[in-house]
């Protein structure tokens, strides 16, 4: 399955996964987390809150030595393709407001985790700001929260969500 | 223990009705429970068998998710009383027990597996099955741990996530709760059902009663499955287990565990669950029937045939179940309707050959044939040795060979030209059964914390405490009060438990079936049109 996970990384970010690159290590965690929340079965990963938001030790172990092999392309199911497209749309929206994919995915995943697993009542964005003061731009975090709400309600995020 | 519901509430548990259950005797009902079980969305569970098609092999196993839900409510309340819950908290956990399976699929876990969308694209169903079987076999060497915990149940297609979504969107359930017990937040029921420990730490004890290795759900299904199937693997000393439950605070949360006097009963529970799985769920006839049914459900759901919703639309149907009855009809009846319709339709231009054959067999309560001498069953605690035995077997060699084959569209094709029936089309199916999901603390540390991958020692220390907390919340815990204080640890770390010695035990089964032969019949199956 780790081969599929690094393959999904390449599919979304357009380049192979490198376990020695810290940005890649963060992004593979966020990419896998979101794809699981969108319904892909990628393994029994237990995500807990950590420095950069939801993080799975099991996932870290699974991909610690894994490098995407470009000569072994994986054919994805239609459902997987739709959800890969959801992540691409999310990244695209981030880029449209000058957010780099790593930070943007961290904001989206952190808000999703806080909303669904941490915050019982109250403002999720304020909680994010409390835990991660560097994410204090409300126009950015409120857009990220819209994405989280769409994922929770619709189970996907596509171009039409982006346009709306 | 801090009460979850308002302790000032003057709510008292009073029963105004009862239902006779063949496992627990009379199960008494409070007014709100009486109203909920009258709702069609709850009665839907009467049409979902607890053990899918096991009744075709063990004829008594006709029990449903409906009676199981009542049984879980009954047992979880006994546990709550033992732990000294307030009446308000008892009502909350009783409702969680009653509603925990409300999101279940047709044929229970068979339907649930069929609805998991594959990540990879497969040309044929068989290729997907081969890939899955190879992955199942790999599970032999995967150390057990608590990865079933935390957010795992929150995968969108898990029946508990579906159930929580349904409650969140159900005006009728929420209205009843607010009319009869307005001190209960329906979202707490959802969080208990899914097992969201981190969102409401105060729910910790309640979640463990529904979501741990020794919870009311598992105890009820073990008792019920044995009682109805007629097997003897359901002997659980429920009285001793419940009377020895205790709750203590550790890592800032309530941890429910068993006192030392309950250790043997807990050992017996885990061992009987192991046998129950290996003898009932992994029975070769049951496995064949489930394989066929799963293939049919996957097919009809993908094509949206016979009112089966497509996986990606399921969430929407759950959201609007009060205005659209698609989800209300999502029961075993829908599956059997599809089977009979496919059998009647019998059109191999419209449907793949294997689907028509499976429907024809299932409509006659027949299953595909196990190939004699290919039933490979190995048990052991040395995983490499176990894997070697499996990999040296003929079914595995055939499986690998199948994996390398380019499958023609013969079996799955829609072309009308393939009127011939295959003589031998062998497929393999694997099962791996483990004794416990827990591993001793030393092994866990070795696995996750021996190498500090992120070069931040303090961070790792914090992580470790977090993981230890969740391991206790999700595992089978011993609470030992002695002169030196209170010791709280997992059963697998307790010298008095035999599980400590045998926790790595695995049972691996690999079998081979012929897709086109009836069980107990030598002739190649021929459909009525050929």
């Amino acid at each position: 399955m780790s081969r599929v996970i690094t393959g999904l990384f390449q599919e979304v970010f357009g380049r192979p996964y490198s376990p020695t690159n810290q940005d890649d290590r963060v992004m593979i965690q966020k990419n896998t987390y979101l794809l699981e929340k969108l319904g892909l079965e990628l393994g029994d990963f237990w995500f807990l809150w950590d420095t950069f938001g939801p993080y799975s030790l099991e996932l870290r172990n699974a991909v610690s030595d894994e490098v995407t092999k470009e000569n072994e392309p994986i054919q994805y199911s239609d459902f997987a393709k739709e959800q890969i497209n959801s992540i691409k749309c999310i990244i695209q929206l981030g880029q449209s407001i000058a957010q780099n994919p790593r930070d943007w995915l961290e904001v989206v995943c952190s808000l999703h985790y806080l909303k669904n697993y941490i915050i019982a009542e109250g403002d999720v964005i304020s909680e994010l700001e409390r835990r991660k003061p560097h994410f204090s731009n409300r126009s950015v975090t409120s857009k990220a929260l819209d994405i989280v709400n769409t994922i929770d309600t619709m189970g996907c995020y596509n171009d039409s969500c982006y346009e709306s | 223990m801090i009460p979850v519901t308002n302790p000032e509430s003057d709510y008292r548990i009073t029963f105004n009705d009862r239902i006779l259950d063949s496992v627990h005797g009379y199960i008494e009902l409070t007014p709100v429970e009486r109203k909920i079980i009258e709702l069609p969305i709850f009665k839907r569970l009467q049409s979902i068998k607890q053990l899918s098609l096991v009744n075709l092999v063990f004829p008594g196993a006709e029990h449903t998710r409906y009676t199981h839900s009542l049984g879980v409510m009954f047992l979880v309340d006994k546990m709550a009383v033992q732990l000294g819950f307030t009446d308000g908290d008892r009502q909350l956990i009783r409702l969680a027990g009653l509603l925990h399976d409300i999101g279940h699929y047709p044929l229970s876990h068979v339907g649930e597996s069929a609805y998991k969308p594959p990540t990879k694209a497969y040309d044929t169903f068989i290729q997907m099955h081969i890939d899955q079987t190879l992955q199942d076999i790999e599970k032999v060497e995967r150390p057990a741990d608590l990865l079933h915990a935390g957010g795992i149940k929150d995968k969108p297609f898990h029946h508990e996530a579906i159930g929580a979504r349904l409650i969140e969107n159900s005006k009728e359930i929420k209205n009843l709760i607010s009319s009869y017990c307005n001190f209960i937040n329906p979202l707490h029921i959802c969080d208990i059902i899914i097992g969201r420990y981190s969102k409401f730490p105060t729910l910790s004890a309640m979640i463990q009663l529904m979501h741990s290795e020794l919870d009311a759900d598992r105890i009820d299904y073990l008792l019920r499955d044995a009682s109805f199937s007629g097997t003897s693997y359901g002997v659980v000393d429920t009285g001793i287990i419940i009377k020895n439950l205790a709750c203590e605070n550790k890592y800032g949360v309530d941890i429910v565990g068993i006192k030392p006097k309950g250790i043997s009963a807990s050992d017996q529970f885990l061992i009987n669950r192991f046998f129950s799985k290996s003898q009932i769920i992994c029975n070769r006839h049951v496995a064949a029937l489930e394989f066929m049914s799963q293939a049919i459900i996957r097919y009809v759901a993908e094509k949206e045939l016979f009112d089966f919703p497509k996986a990606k639309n399921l969430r929407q149907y759950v959201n609007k179940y009060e205005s659209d009855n698609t989800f209300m009809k999502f029961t075993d009846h829908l599956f059997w309707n599809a089977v009979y319709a496919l059998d009647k339709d019998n059109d191999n231009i419209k449907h793949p050959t294997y689907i028509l054959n499976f429907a024809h067999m299932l409509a006659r309560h027949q299953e595909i044939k196990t190939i004699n001498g290919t039933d490979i069953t190995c048990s052991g605690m040395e995983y490499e040795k176990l894997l070697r035995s499996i990999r040296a077997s003929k079914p595995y060699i055939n499986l690998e060979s199948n994996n390398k084959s380019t499958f023609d569209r013969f079996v799955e094709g829609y072309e009308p030209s393939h009127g011939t029936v295959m003589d031998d089309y062998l497929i393999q199916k694997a099962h791996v059964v483990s004794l416990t999901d827990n591993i001793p603390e030393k092994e866990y540390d070795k696995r996750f914390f021996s190498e500090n991958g992120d070069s931040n020692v303090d961070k790792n220390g914090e992580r470790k405490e977090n993981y230890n907390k969740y391991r206790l919340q999700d595992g089978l815990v011993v609470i030992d009060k002695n002169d030196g204080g209170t010791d709280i640890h997992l059963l697998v770390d307790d010298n008095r438990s035999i599980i400590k010695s045998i926790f790595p035990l695995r049972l691996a089964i690999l079998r081979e079936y012929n897709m086109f032969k009836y069980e107990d019949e030598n002739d190649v199956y021929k459909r009525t049109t050929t």
Side-chain angles (χ1 to χ4, degrees):
Chain A
M1 191 50 87
S2 51
R3 175 73 193 86
V4 172
I5 290 165
T6 53
L8 285 165
F9 178 95
Q10 172 149 17
E11 203 67 31
V12 168
F13 299 105
R15 60 183 169 78
Y17 170 69
S18 165
T20 54
N21 180 324
Q22 204 208 348
D23 282 354
D24 282 12
R25 290 206 302 271
V26 172
M27 288 197 291
I28 203 162
Q29 289 273 345
K30 308 308 164 220
N31 193 43
T32 309
Y33 175 82
L34 273 186
L35 285 169
E36 286 225 324
K37 296 303 159 200
L38 289 164
L40 288 192
E41 290 281 334
L42 300 174
D44 289 342
F45 300 122
W46 187 11
F47 287 91
L48 294 184
W49 183 264
D50 212 294
T51 315
F52 302 114
Y55 178 85
S56 163
L57 279 178
E58 178 73 9
L59 173 59
R60 179 198 73 183
N61 288 2
V63 296
S64 60
D65 302 319
E66 195 72 35
V67 182
T68 315
K69 295 181 184 74
E70 290 179 77
N71 56 351
E72 287 178 33
I74 298 170
Q75 297 299 319
Y76 294 100
S77 65
D78 289 344
F79 182 80
K81 281 181 195 161
E82 273 180 45
Q83 302 305 21
I84 289 166
N85 191 46
S86 290
I87 307 276
K88 284 181 178 172
C89 281
I90 291 168
I91 293 172
Q92 215 180 336
L93 195 152
Q95 283 167 338
S96 73
I97 50 170
Q99 294 297 302
N100 71 61
R102 180 196 144 144
D103 287 350
W104 177 240
L105 286 181
E106 184 184 333
V107 173
V108 174
C109 292
S110 298
L111 284 170
H112 187 278
Y113 196 90
L114 290 171
K115 181 192 162 203
N116 283 283
Y117 306 106
I118 306 279
I119 303 299
E121 283 169 6
D123 182 7
V124 182
I125 291 178
S126 302
E127 182 61 22
L128 178 76
E129 287 168 355
R130 193 182 69 76
R131 290 172 183 240
K132 296 170 182 275
H134 52 292
F135 291 136
S136 58
N137 184 337
R138 284 265 169 155
S139 68
V140 170
T141 49
S142 58
K143 278 199 165 61
L145 189 59
D146 287 344
I147 292 173
V148 168
N149 290 332
T150 306
I151 290 172
D152 283 343
T153 322
M154 307 296 292
C156 64
Y157 191 85
N158 55 35
D159 294 333
S160 58
C161 305
Y162 179 27
E163 281 156 17
S164 65
Chain B
M1 204 180 332
I2 303 164
V4 176
T5 56
N6 182 5
E8 306 293 314
S9 155
D10 54 2
Y11 184 82
R12 294 288 168 266
I13 292 269
T14 49
F15 299 114
N16 69 342
D17 209 343
R18 59 187 185 176
I19 285 185
L20 184 60
D21 174 54
S22 59
V23 174
H24 303 297
Y26 277 120
I27 294 178
E28 295 196 285
L29 300 164
T30 64
V32 67
E33 294 154 6
R34 182 77 184 82
K35 288 286 180 189
I36 286 176
I37 67 168
E38 291 277 300
L39 295 174
I41 190 66
F42 189 80
K43 286 188 173 177
R44 171 183 164 270
L45 298 179
Q46 283 186 314
S47 303
I48 299 179
K49 288 211 170 69
Q50 175 79 10
L51 290 178
S52 64
L53 296 148
V54 170
N55 63 310
L56 299 186
V57 182
F58 297 87
E62 292 280 350
H63 52 307
T64 63
R65 292 277 154 190
Y66 180 89
T67 48
H68 167 62
S69 300
L70 291 167
V72 172
M73 179 183 76
F74 172 85
L75 278 178
V76 83
D77 189 39
K78 297 267 174 222
M79 293 171 155
V81 169
Q82 167 65 22
L83 295 176
F85 280 30
T86 63
D87 277 21
D89 281 6
R90 275 178 65 196
Q91 184 60 78
L92 171 58
I93 193 71
R94 283 177 65 93
L95 286 172
L98 186 67
L99 294 167
H100 81 285
D101 267 350
I102 199 158
H104 234 308
Y105 286 75
L107 302 189
S108 295
H109 295 291
V110 175
E112 186 174 30
S113 309
Y115 262 84
K116 282 179 188 165
T119 303
K120 287 202 259 179
Y122 298 94
D123 285 341
T124 65
F125 167 76
I126 295 170
Q127 279 172 327
M128 181 168 68
H129 174 73
I130 290 168
D131 202 18
Q132 185 58 53
T133 306
L134 287 166
Q135 283 178 42
D136 287 345
I137 293 168
E138 299 303 316
K139 284 180 191 163
V140 167
E141 59 181 354
R142 193 168 165 226
D145 44 43
L146 284 169
L147 297 170
H148 307 283
I152 296 300
K153 307 258 178 180
D154 205 7
K155 289 185 175 180
F157 293 97
H158 194 284
H159 70 273
E160 287 171 351
I162 300 271
R165 176 162 288 279
L166 191 144
I167 295 167
E168 278 173 30
N169 287 286
S170 171
K171 287 194 193 95
E172 51 188 6
I173 293 176
K174 288 198 288 195
N175 284 345
L176 283 174
I177 291 171
S178 109
S179 309
Y180 286 90
C181 19
N182 60 2
F183 57 93
I184 287 178
N185 177 355
L187 292 182
H188 282 165
I189 296 173
C190 301
D191 291 316
I192 295 169
I193 288 175
I194 294 180
R196 285 175 176 147
Y197 292 107
S198 48
K199 195 166 182 180
F200 292 99
T202 49
L203 291 178
S204 176
M206 293 200 185
I207 292 175
Q208 289 166 75
L209 296 184
M210 289 297 301
H211 274 289
S212 65
E213 200 152 37
L214 186 69
D215 61 24
D217 186 13
R218 291 177 192 211
I219 295 176
D220 185 80
Y221 77 58
L222 191 62
L223 291 168
R224 197 168 294 277
D225 292 353
S227 169
F228 279 84
S229 67
T231 56
S232 60
Y233 308 111
V235 181
V236 184
D237 208 327
T238 321
I240 288 190
I241 288 175
I242 291 174
K243 284 291 165 204
N244 282 288
L245 280 182
C247 184
E248 288 291 326
N249 196 283
K250 189 163 183 178
Y251 302 120
V253 292
D254 288 328
I255 301 292
V256 176
I258 199 99
K259 294 176 199 163
K261 276 186 182 173
I263 287 176
S264 297
S266 305
D267 284 354
Q268 183 196 26
F269 167 77
L270 290 180
I271 290 166
N272 277 349
R273 195 160 64 96
F274 179 85
F275 282 122
S276 178
K277 275 190 202 166
S278 65
Q279 299 305 307
I280 302 174
I281 310 296
C282 303
N283 173 286
R284 72 182 170 101
H285 302 284
V286 171
L289 289 162
E290 291 191 347
F291 167 73
M292 295 157 67
S293 315
Q294 201 177 323
I296 288 179
I297 295 177
R298 191 172 278 282
Y299 171 71
V300 293
E302 266 174 21
K303 303 283 176 199
E304 290 183 283
L305 299 173
F306 314 115
D307 290 340
F308 268 84
K310 218 177 173 67
K312 70 171 190 176
N313 299 331
L314 191 58
R315 196 187 299 229
Q316 273 74 43
Y317 287 117
V318 171
N319 291 350
K320 58 179 182 183
Y321 89 88
E322 284 171 320
S323 59
D324 177 319
N325 69 353
T326 303
F327 190 76
M328 288 291 297
K329 292 193 294 181
F330 199 48
T331 66
D332 291 6
H333 297 312
L334 196 66
F335 167 76
W336 286 108
N337 285 344
V339 166
Y340 295 128
L342 284 163
D343 183 41
K344 192 177 170 193
D345 195 7
N346 200 12
D347 182 345
N348 66 356
I349 299 174
K350 270 161 59 181
H351 309 295
T353 315
Y354 77 101
I355 288 292
L356 291 175
N357 284 332
F358 286 176
H360 184 89
M361 289 187 206
L362 281 169
R364 287 150 188 81
H365 291 192
Q366 286 281 5
E367 88 251 10
I368 51 175
K369 184 178 174 61
T370 321
I371 308 299
N372 281 340
T374 62
D375 195 328
I376 308 301
T377 305
C378 322
S379 67
M381 296 196 274
E382 293 172 55
Y383 302 148
E384 278 183 28
K385 208 170 151 187
L386 208 53
L387 265 182
R388 271 204 304 276
S389 306
I390 289 283
R391 285 177 178 152
S393 69
K394 197 179 166 208
Y396 189 85
I397 293 164
N398 288 343
L399 176 68
E400 284 222 300
S401 151
N402 276 351
N403 192 32
K404 286 171 191 153
S405 305
T406 307
F407 276 82
D408 56 34
R409 302 287 299 171
F410 190 104
V411 175
E412 304 214 13
Y414 298 82
E415 302 85 354
S417 57
H418 56 70
T420 340
V421 178
M422 295 281 281
D423 265 345
D424 287 306
Y425 211 100
L426 304 183
I427 53 121
Q428 296 75 25
K429 188 157 170 53
H431 305 267
V432 176
V433 183
S434 43
L435 194 58
T436 169
D437 293 337
N438 297 172
I439 53 174
E441 193 173 352
K442 268 188 187 169
E443 291 216 13
Y444 196 84
D445 286 355
K446 199 172 138 194
R447 185 161 181 225
F448 285 121
F449 298 102
S450 61
E451 285 176 31
N452 193 342
D454 295 330
S455 66
N456 183 336
V457 177
D458 291 342
K459 192 72 215 166
N460 241 5
E462 190 186 316
R463 272 190 196 142
K464 194 174 162 183
E465 190 174 310
N466 242 338
Y467 275 78
N468 282 345
K469 178 174 76 180
Y470 284 113
R471 292 182 71 220
L472 290 178
Q473 285 177 311
D474 218 65
L476 207 165
V477 173
V478 176
I479 296 180
D480 191 358
K481 279 190 175 178
N482 49 43
D483 296 341
T486 304
D487 186 19
I488 301 175
H489 53 263
L490 288 171
L491 186 74
V492 280
D493 279 316
D494 195 297
N495 289 327
R496 293 161 289 194
S497 165
I498 60 165
I499 301 299
K500 186 178 180 180
S501 311
I502 57 171
F503 74 89
L505 185 68
R506 289 277 195 288
L507 178 75
I509 302 170
L510 183 64
R511 299 194 184 99
E512 201 157 49
Y513 297 92
N514 190 324
M515 292 264 290
F516 291 96
K517 277 186 178 172
Y518 271 137
E519 178 69 7
D520 300 328
E521 214 176 89
N522 292 324
D523 291 336
V524 172
Y525 163 66
K526 288 185 176 61
R527 282 183 291 110
T528 46
T529 50
T530 56

